[in-house]
Amino acid sequence: MIAVLIRRAASALAVLLGAATLAFAALELIPGDKVAALLGPATSASEQVKAQIRAEYGFDRPIVVQYLHYLGRLVRGDLGDSYQLSRPVAGLLAEQLWPTAQLALAAIALAVALAVLSAVVTAGRRAGRAVATAWELAAVSLPSFWLGILLLTVFSFQLGMFPVVGGEGISALVLPAVTLALPIAGMLAQVLREGLEAALAQPFAVTARARGLSHTAVRVRHTLRHATVPLATLTGWLTGSLLGGAVLVETVFGRPGVGALTLQAVSNKDMPVVIGVVLLSAVVFVVISAVVDALYAVVDPRLKAG
Amino acid sequence: MKGGSLTYAADTEPVSFDIHVSPQDITGAIQRNVFDSLISQDTAGEFHPWLASSWEIAKDLKSYTFTLREDVKFTDGTAFDAEAVKVNFDRIADPKTKSQLAASLLGPYAGSDVLGTHKIKVRFKEPFAPFLQAASTAYLGFYSPKAIKASGAVFGAGGPAQVGTGPFVVESYSKGQSLVLKRNPAYVWPPKTSANAGPAHLDKLTIRFLPEASVRVGALNSGQIDLAAAVQPTDIKAVEANPALKLLRSDHPGGNYSLYLNVSKAPFSDEKVRKAVQHALNVDLNVKSLYFGQYKRAWSPLSPSTPGYDASLENSVPHDPVKAGKLLDEAGWTARDSEGYRTKDGKRLVVEWPLLPAQYVRDQRNILGQAFQAELKKVGIQANRPQNDIGTYTAQVYGGKADIADYSWGRFEPDVLWLLFNSANHATKGGQNATFAKDADIDSWTNAGRKTLDREVRAELYGKVQKRVIDLALAIPIYTGTNALGYGKHVEGLVTDANTWPSFHNVWTTKR
């Protein structure tokens, strides 16, 4: 057990170091002057100010020195200060992660519920299947930007149910969560139905029916468990990418979050923030893959680590 | 009139809230409600007392002496005095502040001398006439010296650490969401021209950041917000059709959105080729159809709402593709290649016109550019529009490697012509002149404009500059941007200042 934990920790560290190095390299490789990118197109900054920025952020030092200095700070747990926002990156991330996490978790929960409902009810049933596949395909192909504006127009501007302004907490979460959840639900339902149908064709399903179990009982108690493994993998991956921020949905609904922060940081070459976001995503994926692995063991006893 | 609260939806959110650092319009527009200036400028260009009750200007325009009001206090209780002015101006000029706009507004600043508790002399290394206008902007507003000492380094992050003398106080800021301002009850020192001599009427003003234009208009139409900034040309009709709403339109001052032709290299080193472009573009038609007739077509590099605008340039350059062709023939670009582009000595007539990265593109200028590209092709000019990151863009355009650059430059002052066309301000030196022109007359006229306060003399000088820019086809003016502000009929007393920013000091609501 301890050996497993140590192995996990070591691979997590390797992933983090890799992510940190790649992020640093990618930002270095983007062409163009860093100071010019920092200042943006509409600036009247003098050469003196530019030199000050170069010296203050150490851009004038050799690249290897910058890299080592950067790793050294990371090891001490210091993510540095944002160039643009004059605030520590760690605080910024902590503040922006909460709204993103609320949105991502609400969207994933809703998507999984919709997908399970749609797949369990229609798997292996010709008529229901056709209807369900149609809505799922439509949902997957909807652009989230368009869907968000459509939902806002109907439920906020026309019906006044979910105000885009002033409403904080649950009511402000509904429309953006639905916008994000619908395409994901479509995708998850398709994967789940395929698994269910494969399981329903197996001898154990026939045996269960022969023992007198109802159609519904066979689906919910037996085949669903079989079809859950690919669903868990996909859901884990989707949760991870949603925690990295949902830029379009955040923009449409005017919500704070990691997505908006990342967009701003990348376009302004705000390196400490970009690197902070990359490391955050790496941590999220490491944690989620551990959770998914643990889930496998619960769902499928054969996968339990010996 | 007193009481109530309003919600104003802004289209962008400040990156830095520090007025001494940020070059963004939105920072100035929002912070104008929290910070006051020495003097104010009305929309006709006249200056009026504000925190300074009077001022004297040295004959050589190298120093300005201000007498300050004695009853002004920052909202943290600190008195506003000559020392506070000095601390703020010195902070702006200090390279450590990394000012991106305010420092350039201070120009050749040499220092400030405290002559008494309420008397201060601001000195410059050279004669500097634009200082009065600069001193009236929010970017040269005043932070409490106590706040600067305690938290000057984190002003950029926004929030209640920002302490000024203005009609509103920052209550809270939630990044990506909203900024909440509340009334400063002690405020009795607005500019002499203000319709309200006392504190603001509103208890609370919430500024909600909604970047998506259709969402702002939807929220305004459904009454979720009271005011919406930047109503797009496509949405103006819908707002006008709603009986519960009003629209306030104001033209942007300063440099119009124009195409700047780089005269330092071929092919635009040839005046005939520049003039050909001037006649080839159907500016009227494209501006009208893309912006639904809401933006004015521009004729001068200077916007009509800016002092010194020369109206005689209107309708001076007709759209005439035949003449454009003739000019190109005269310039020696007579042969055509298989794709229909003109050639000279076997070389195709190609111009590089870099496109800004998507996040900086405003007002669908990329679409406008496509229409112009097609019109240039008709007369045989190939215009390339490479789109790269901002670093590469800056290196090309400001490094003088591109042939065309396009931008507008907002400022309520004809000295913007110095920024855009004086050879001392070439983009390679960190300036805004991407034409790289070196015209001795333009240089001397724009320099002279900085050394006089005589309005007639300035109007004549800047009129000559505008005419010369069009004569030499250094820039091709395209349109004057309009700031359209939509708001509910229950909002009263709303005016915009010379910068087209809404001023909330005198605003009240009839809705309870």
Side-chain angles (χ1 to χ4, degrees):
Chain A
M1 192 63 196
I2 289 169
V4 173
L5 280 180
I6 290 175
R7 230 183 308 140
R8 272 222 165 259
S11 75
L13 266 181
V15 167
L16 289 181
L17 179 67
T21 306
L22 276 178
F24 184 85
L27 285 167
E28 281 303 323
L29 287 174
I30 298 175
D33 179 31
K34 266 186 235 169
V35 177
L38 265 175
L39 293 172
T43 180
S44 312
S46 64
E47 282 307 319
Q48 202 185 2
V49 165
K50 288 181 188 163
Q52 175 78 26
I53 292 176
R54 235 170 242 123
E56 195 168 315
Y57 296 137
F59 294 160
D60 48 358
R61 291 178 299 179
I63 195 77
V64 179
V65 176
Q66 289 188 47
Y67 175 67
L68 290 177
H69 185 76
Y70 153 73
L71 279 190
R73 273 198 301 106
L74 287 186
V75 169
R76 292 197 303 274
D78 177 10
L79 290 173
D81 287 352
S82 158
Y83 294 159
Q84 297 276 345
L85 308 169
S86 41
R87 291 183 53 186
V89 173
L92 264 174
L93 284 178
E95 172 196 287
Q96 300 295 310
L97 185 60
W98 177 230
T100 298
Q102 279 179 310
L103 180 60
L105 296 180
I108 285 289
L110 188 62
V112 168
L114 277 174
V116 168
L117 188 70
S118 179
V120 168
V121 171
T122 62
R125 291 175 176 144
R126 196 169 292 169
R129 199 178 192 285
V131 175
T133 316
W135 92 257
E136 286 157 15
L137 268 181
V140 169
S141 24
L142 284 177
S144 61
F145 191 75
W146 181 83
L147 180 62
I149 291 196
L150 180 78
L151 290 175
L152 265 178
T153 305
V154 176
F155 294 101
S156 180
F157 304 153
Q158 304 283 340
L159 302 175
M161 289 163 71
F162 302 103
V164 66
V165 176
E168 265 145 50
I170 298 295
S171 78
L173 200 58
V174 175
L175 292 183
V178 171
T179 307
L180 273 183
L182 279 179
I184 295 176
M187 198 191 320
L188 290 180
Q190 303 243 323
V191 170
L192 186 59
R193 182 177 309 98
E194 203 169 302
L196 277 175
E197 286 175 348
L200 277 172
Q202 295 218 1
F204 78 84
V206 182
T207 314
R209 277 289 284 151
R211 280 196 330 216
L213 282 181
S214 70
H215 264 303
T216 316
V218 172
R219 275 158 199 264
V220 174
R221 277 193 236 149
H222 295 274
T223 54
L224 188 55
R225 179 176 271 228
H226 277 255
T228 302
V229 171
L231 184 77
T233 314
L234 190 57
T235 307
W237 182 79
L238 286 168
T239 311
S241 48
L242 283 188
L243 284 174
V247 180
L248 289 179
V249 171
E250 284 171 10
T251 306
V252 169
F253 291 92
R255 278 181 65 86
V258 177
L261 183 69
T262 312
L263 182 68
Q264 194 184 42
V266 170
S267 44
N268 296 326
K269 260 200 171 181
D270 197 343
M271 305 241 297
V273 177
V274 176
I275 284 164
V277 171
V278 169
L279 288 179
L280 174 76
S281 302
V283 170
V284 164
F285 273 99
V286 165
V287 169
I288 283 181
S289 74
V291 170
V292 170
D293 282 355
L295 266 180
Y296 286 160
V298 174
V299 173
D300 188 344
R302 288 172 303 177
L303 294 175
K304 215 165 243 167
Chain B
M1 268 160 60
K2 191 164 173 283
S5 58
L6 290 175
T7 301
Y8 168 55
D11 58 331
T12 44
E13 183 173 359
V15 174
S16 167
F17 276 87
D18 193 332
I19 49 174
H20 295 166
V21 172
S22 174
Q24 284 183 288
D25 284 344
I26 186 68
T27 307
I30 289 178
Q31 301 285 51
R32 181 79 286 181
N33 295 293
V34 182
F35 296 93
D36 294 335
S37 296
L38 285 175
I39 54 177
S40 87
Q41 188 178 25
D42 64 25
T43 48
E46 294 286 350
F47 296 105
H48 304 277
W50 194 351
L51 296 185
S53 49
S54 65
W55 58 91
E56 276 167 54
I57 303 165
K59 273 229 170 68
D60 62 2
L61 293 176
K62 282 166 86 170
S63 69
Y64 294 71
T65 305
F66 296 91
T67 305
L68 309 178
R69 282 182 73 130
E70 299 184 7
D71 57 347
V72 179
K73 278 200 159 50
F74 290 100
T75 50
D76 63 359
T78 315
F80 170 80
D81 55 16
E83 190 57 39
V85 174
K86 181 177 163 57
V87 167
N88 275 272
F89 284 175
D90 285 352
R91 174 176 191 256
I92 292 168
D94 185 348
K96 284 203 191 76
T97 306
K98 301 192 285 283
S99 172
Q100 295 183 41
L101 177 63
S104 80
L105 291 175
L106 268 185
Y109 179 71
S112 300
D113 303 330
V114 175
L115 302 180
T117 323
H118 294 100
K119 200 159 194 164
I120 185 148
K121 183 169 168 186
V122 183
R123 289 178 287 109
F124 296 94
K125 290 171 203 139
E126 296 158 32
F128 190 54
F131 180 60
L132 282 186
Q133 195 277 332
S136 75
T137 66
Y139 305 103
L140 297 193
F142 300 98
Y143 283 106
S144 152
K146 202 167 113 192
I148 290 181
K149 208 173 253 171
S151 43
V154 296
F155 278 162
Q162 311 257 331
V163 179
T165 60
F168 289 92
V169 183
V170 179
E171 183 170 83
S172 64
Y173 169 53
S174 164
K175 185 173 162 48
Q177 186 99 27
S178 57
L179 174 76
V180 180
L181 304 180
K182 62 174 192 227
R183 176 188 18 232
N184 171 8
Y187 191 75
V188 290
W189 44 83
K192 284 277 178 305
T193 46
S194 174
N196 174 10
H201 305 306
L202 296 174
D203 289 332
K204 194 170 106 171
L205 174 68
T206 304
I207 297 167
R208 173 81 165 94
F209 304 109
L210 287 177
E212 180 50 37
S214 58
V215 172
R216 279 197 306 282
V217 170
L220 180 68
N221 268 318
S222 58
Q224 297 181 27
I225 55 172
D226 306 291
L227 306 100
V231 175
Q232 297 301 296
T234 36
D235 296 322
I236 284 182
K237 284 233 162 73
V239 170
E240 283 175 334
N242 186 334
L245 300 180
K246 286 189 278 192
L247 199 71
L248 184 63
R249 257 183 276 207
S250 25
D251 289 342
H252 289 150
N256 282 318
Y257 173 68
S258 304
L259 311 189
Y260 297 89
L261 309 185
N262 179 357
V263 305
S264 71
K265 63 194 266 282
F268 287 143
S269 47
D270 186 339
E271 189 184 322
K272 288 209 162 86
V273 181
R274 301 200 297 270
K275 293 219 146 178
V277 173
Q278 208 175 30
H279 289 289
L281 303 183
N282 193 344
V283 179
D284 250 350
L285 179 79
N286 288 310
V287 168
K288 202 175 277 171
S289 60
L290 185 62
Y291 302 117
F292 298 87
Q294 300 294 343
Y295 286 0
K296 278 192 202 116
R297 182 252 148 102
W299 295 100
S300 157
L302 203 60
S303 137
S305 61
T306 319
Y309 171 69
D310 184 356
S312 74
L313 281 169
E314 286 169 22
N315 299 308
S316 60
V317 181
H319 168 57
D320 188 348
V322 177
K323 188 167 180 192
K326 263 188 212 141
L327 284 162
L328 290 173
D329 285 340
E330 287 170 28
W333 297 93
T334 43
R336 296 261 188 169
D337 64 15
S338 56
E339 287 178 58
Y341 292 113
R342 285 172 186 269
T343 60
K344 180 158 87 174
D345 307 328
K347 262 187 76 186
R348 184 185 278 185
L349 181 48
V350 179
V351 294
E352 292 293 319
W353 180 8
L355 186 56
L356 275 167
Q359 71 268 20
Y360 294 111
V361 173
R362 289 167 42 200
D363 297 344
Q364 297 182 286
R365 287 172 184 173
N366 50 339
I367 314 261
L368 195 60
Q370 284 170 12
F372 291 150
Q373 234 175 336
E375 282 165 351
L376 289 175
K377 188 177 179 181
K378 271 189 213 152
V379 298
I381 303 175
Q382 179 179 9
N384 291 332
R385 301 222 65 192
Q387 190 171 30
N388 290 304
D389 65 287
I390 187 67
T392 311
Y393 176 88
T394 313
Q396 285 176 326
V397 169
Y398 292 84
K401 293 178 199 113
D403 297 302
I404 305 181
D406 59 311
Y407 46 87
S408 52
W409 199 269
R411 196 173 164 201
F412 188 67
E413 163 63 58
D415 182 50
V416 76
L417 292 170
W418 185 93
L419 292 178
L420 295 171
F421 300 108
N422 192 291
S423 67
N425 204 39
H426 278 180
T428 38
K429 298 174 199 157
Q432 286 76 36
N433 179 2
T435 71
F436 299 95
K438 212 177 164 110
D439 185 90
D441 287 335
I442 290 183
D443 283 358
S444 84
W445 294 330
T446 48
N447 286 336
R450 289 192 144 189
K451 293 184 182 121
T452 173
L453 287 168
D454 185 320
R455 293 177 68 179
E456 269 171 42
V457 175
R458 291 190 98 206
E460 196 198 322
L461 286 168
Y462 290 120
K464 285 198 273 193
V465 176
Q466 293 166 68
K467 283 200 195 85
R468 178 64 61 88
V469 166
I470 300 302
D471 273 352
L472 296 178
L474 299 177
I476 301 172
I478 307 295
Y479 68 79
T480 304
T482 292
N483 185 18
L485 190 85
Y487 61 108
K489 288 232 159 97
H490 59 284
V491 178
E492 299 279 357
L494 184 70
V495 287
T496 50
D497 68 5
N499 290 301
T500 77
W501 301 339
S503 157
F504 287 97
H505 173 228
N506 188 37
V507 167
W508 73 94
T509 169
T510 56
K511 207 192 248 173
R512 280 302 141 91

